[in-house]
Amino acid sequence: MFFAYRNNLGTHYDAVPPDLPAGIGFWPKYLWLAFFAQLVFWVSTTIVIGMLFGTVAAGDRATEAFSGPRRTLSGLITGK
């Protein structure tokens, strides 16, 4: 995105909202529309998805603590 904004390549990476002022410079445009937006979006998405998977894993471990270890197919065949 940096190079697209810097060189005005006209790709989807440097597309701006229609209500953005025409005279805005490179650094404010890049920081607000690319850097901070990506920083906030990807960090928050990673945290939320990690919390969801962590909750599922913790619930799975808690279930195993109450019901004992799971028996696998190989354990059923060999009798262990």
Side-chain angles (χ1 to χ4, degrees):
M1 293 179 88
F2 175 83
F3 294 109
Y5 278 121
R6 188 75 177 148
N7 299 318
N8 293 320
L9 296 179
T11 66
H12 67 284
Y13 288 110
D14 63 343
V16 296
D19 59 345
L20 189 73
I24 191 168
F26 164 71
W27 284 109
K29 182 169 67 170
Y30 171 73
L31 288 175
W32 284 112
L33 299 177
F35 182 76
F36 292 133
Q38 293 294 318
L39 182 71
V40 169
F41 176 75
W42 287 114
V43 170
S44 61
T45 300
T46 302
I47 289 171
V48 168
I49 291 174
M51 287 181 358
L52 290 174
F53 277 93
T55 302
V56 169
D60 184 49
R61 295 285 295 184
T63 303
E64 186 176 315
F66 288 112
S67 63
R70 292 189 183 135
R71 298 194 63 173
T72 61
L73 183 58
S74 62
L76 291 174
I77 293 171
T78 60
K80 293 183 180 179

